[in-house]
Amino acid sequence: MRLTVQSDYALRLLMHVGAHADRLCTIAEVAQVHGISAAHLMKVTHRLGQLGYLETVRGKGGGMRLARPPERIGLAQVLRDLEPDFHLVECHATGSACVLTGHCRLTGILDAALQRFLQHLDHYTLADLLPADGPPLFSSFPIKAAS
């Protein structure tokens, strides 16, 4: 199983913004710290805003912040909201052409594994990923001023 790049970037983005709850964060800052595309992050930010995870502030001095407390952002729910599907094998998709469909036990085993994966993540929130005390997450990464 592999999560999409969108989910990966979304989790990193939420962790970064959650670790800097005292201020607005910018897409350029997150892109630089994580070494990822600002254009892709813009799409991820937009989607997280639509889903109610982020609040964005436009204009000079704008940025983003969490739209709800990190304790109310469940990791499994973020993935359920962002992943287009959880088709681990072809037969999980509608219209599968697999000749074993309906006669194979692997489907049930993989379904159960996926459910356990998500159930495990249901026990964690964004707050579990943020430092309880000490230096803020990502504080050791230098952030260059925009030129």
Side-chain angles (χ1 to χ4, degrees), residues 3 20-22 42-43 48 56 60 68-69 87 93 108 113 119-120 122 127 130 137 146:
L3 298 177
H20 298 284
D22 58 326
M42 193 173 306
K43 294 175 190 173
L48 289 172
T56 58
K60 187 174 169 84
R68 53 182 116 150
H87 300 158
Q119 287 169 353
H120 181 73
D122 277 329
L130 303 177
L137 197 59

Side-chain angles (χ1 to χ4, degrees), residues 43-124:
K43 294 175 190 173
V44 172
T45 300
H46 178 71
R47 185 72 181 123
L48 289 172
Q50 288 177 322
L51 292 167
Y53 293 111
L54 288 179
E55 178 182 302
T56 58
V57 177
R58 293 179 177 259
K60 187 174 169 84
M64 67 190 111
R65 63 178 152 247
L66 295 179
R68 53 182 116 150
E71 297 81 12
R72 292 193 42 232
I73 299 176
L75 300 184
Q77 191 58 53
V78 171
L79 295 181
R80 286 183 184 105
D81 287 343
L82 291 175
E83 285 295 312
D85 62 62
F86 285 102
H87 300 158
L88 300 180
V89 289
E90 180 188 351
C91 58
H92 283 154
T94 304
S96 168
C98 180
V99 297
L100 298 175
T101 299
H103 307 288
C104 178
R105 294 182 187 144
L106 180 60
T107 302
I109 292 168
L110 291 175
D111 284 342
L114 175 61
Q115 292 312 308
R116 286 191 184 110
F117 170 73
L118 292 170
Q119 287 169 353
H120 181 73
L121 289 178
D122 277 329
H123 296 289
Y124 298 95

Side-chain angles (χ1 to χ4, degrees), residues 23-47:
R23 63 179 177 79
L24 292 174
C25 296
T26 66
I27 290 172
E29 165 195 333
V30 177
Q32 181 183 4
V33 168
H34 293 277
I36 54 183
S37 161
H40 201 97
L41 271 178
M42 193 173 306
K43 294 175 190 173
V44 172
T45 300
H46 178 71
R47 185 72 181 123

Side-chain angles (χ1 to χ4, degrees), residues 6-27:
Q6 179 174 318
S7 292
D8 177 17
Y9 287 5
L11 291 171
R12 290 195 229 179
L13 179 65
L14 290 170
M15 288 169 51
H16 188 95
V17 173
H20 298 284
D22 58 326
R23 63 179 177 79
L24 292 174
C25 296
T26 66
I27 290 172

